[in-house]
Amino acid sequence: LHTMPMGVQQAPVAFQEAYQFAVANPGALADVPCTCGCDQFGHKSNYNCYVAGNAADGSIIYDMHALGCQICIDITRDVMRQMRQG
């Protein structure tokens, strides 16, 4: 969490957990569509609500969209729950 943007570090725990999950499990969200309308921003999946890409040095470029979108967080939390349930 300490390497994430300050906005994520100061967000409610559910938002922090969602960002951490997205970074740790990109494959889990890469094929999950987001239904909040963020496709208008070029998002192809729920993963894009958290990660915009990687810098030349390999570091993560975060997308801050999910910080202001409960729908994105809810979708991620559903995936997290489904993974726990197998």
Side-chain angles (χ1 to χ4, degrees):
L1 186 62
H2 70 279
T3 62
M4 293 186 173
M6 192 56 64
V8 176
Q9 293 180 38
Q10 295 174 344
V13 172
F15 288 70
Q16 293 174 359
E17 290 174 347
Y19 269 87
Q20 290 174 313
F21 178 83
V23 170
N25 302 280
L29 299 178
D31 293 327
V32 176
C34 189
T35 57
C36 77
C38 62
D39 58 334
Q40 68 182 332
F41 306 126
H43 292 181
K44 305 284 186 227
S45 69
N46 188 242
Y47 179 69
N48 298 131
C49 300
Y50 303 94
V51 176
N54 293 90
D57 66 0
S59 63
I60 295 171
I61 300 170
Y62 290 92
D63 191 303
M64 297 293 100
H65 172 73
L67 279 181
C69 186
Q70 188 65 50
I71 295 170
C72 297
I73 300 299
D74 289 346
I75 290 168
T76 303
R77 292 179 65 79
D78 284 346
V79 171
M80 291 166 68
R81 185 181 66 254
Q82 290 170 358
M83 285 183 67
R84 280 192 307 269
Q85 294 173 343

